[in-house]
Amino acid sequence: MKRIMLIDDEPNVLLALQRVLERAFSGQDVSVESHASPLAALGRCQYIRYEVVISDYRMPGMDGVTLLKAIRALQPDSIRLMLSATTDFDAAMAAVNQAEVHRYLVKPWSRDELVDTVREALERYDRLLEDRLLADEKRAERGSITSEDKERRRLEAESPGITKVKWGPGGELLLDDD
């Protein structure tokens, strides 16, 4: 299943975006999830992999560049898109340079442009993963990566954070004390 995350502090905008994308990808194996809180979205990214993340730029508590930069640290392969009513060139440049945003969409968005951009982002994600798997296969053939490392990378791409889980000697899950 492919996952798309939407983040915007305006509930009506979230509902409109979700409705457009759910209709566009109806019948396909695509899930659209929305969050009004940047912190909630960031917390979710620690456990769930998202192929595409679309964030508003101006939100209380955390701006979109800061949020997408943090998401990039957790999920470097996700395709990040910025959606904003501002046409501030500096904001757009910060999004591209700091958070490696793939596209910057201006509100009000065009339905067709939004859907085409998300479709292209999903395809880009697939190409990135395919390229990584092929590169890992080549590295394994040359002996520069072990089959365990290759599998660890595949698992981490599929479920972010799974390779960082601490296991006890009896197979139990160990939790941090903090």
XYZ file of all heavy atoms in Angstrom, residues 5 18 117-119 133 150 152 162 172:
87
model
N 0.634 11.479 3.228
C 0.303 12.223 4.441
C 0.085 13.693 4.082
O 0.887 14.280 3.353
C 1.406 12.128 5.482
C 1.111 12.968 6.714
S 2.439 12.989 7.925
C 2.082 11.470 8.783
N -7.861 15.887 0.976
C -8.111 14.452 1.134
C -9.176 13.970 0.152
O -9.019 12.923 -0.478
C -8.520 14.145 2.578
C -8.542 12.661 2.861
C -8.432 12.355 4.338
O -8.474 13.245 5.184
N -8.295 11.090 4.654
N 0.925 16.045 -9.775
C 2.132 16.168 -8.963
C 2.254 14.996 -7.992
O 3.334 14.424 -7.833
C 2.128 17.508 -8.197
O 2.105 18.570 -9.159
C 3.343 17.643 -7.308
N 1.159 14.611 -7.351
C 1.192 13.486 -6.410
C 1.449 12.182 -7.162
O 2.245 11.347 -6.715
C -0.101 13.426 -5.572
C -0.165 12.141 -4.761
C -0.200 14.646 -4.668
N 0.827 12.008 -8.299
C 1.053 10.800 -9.102
C 2.529 10.696 -9.509
O 3.156 9.654 -9.386
C 0.151 10.815 -10.340
C 0.100 9.490 -11.079
C -0.882 9.526 -12.242
N -2.186 10.087 -11.940
C -3.185 9.455 -11.350
N -3.029 8.213 -10.961
N -4.347 10.058 -11.152
N 17.551 -0.701 -4.642
C 17.620 -2.165 -4.602
C 18.616 -2.696 -5.626
O 19.390 -3.611 -5.328
C 16.230 -2.771 -4.825
C 15.237 -2.581 -3.688
C 13.859 -3.096 -4.090
C 15.714 -3.286 -2.427
N 21.875 -5.624 3.251
C 20.888 -5.419 2.178
C 19.467 -5.610 2.726
O 18.583 -4.803 2.480
C 21.182 -6.395 1.046
C 20.274 -6.271 -0.141
C 20.665 -7.277 -1.198
C 19.564 -7.437 -2.207
N 19.800 -8.522 -3.142
N 18.542 -5.399 5.903
C 18.302 -4.350 6.893
C 17.828 -3.070 6.198
O 16.888 -2.419 6.642
C 19.576 -4.080 7.690
C 19.359 -3.157 8.873
C 20.616 -2.982 9.729
N 21.119 -4.242 10.252
C 22.258 -4.847 9.839
N 22.993 -4.299 8.910
N 22.635 -5.981 10.360
N 12.359 0.214 12.305
C 12.297 -1.190 12.712
C 13.677 -1.761 13.036
O 13.806 -2.622 13.890
C 11.571 -2.061 11.661
C 11.190 -3.394 12.278
C 12.439 -2.238 10.416
C 10.208 -4.191 11.485
N 12.381 -10.521 23.868
C 11.449 -9.489 24.299
C 11.893 -8.119 23.818
O 13.071 -7.881 23.594
C 11.296 -9.490 25.836
C 12.522 -9.043 26.593
C 13.545 -10.158 26.849
O 13.411 -11.266 26.300
O 14.497 -9.907 27.584
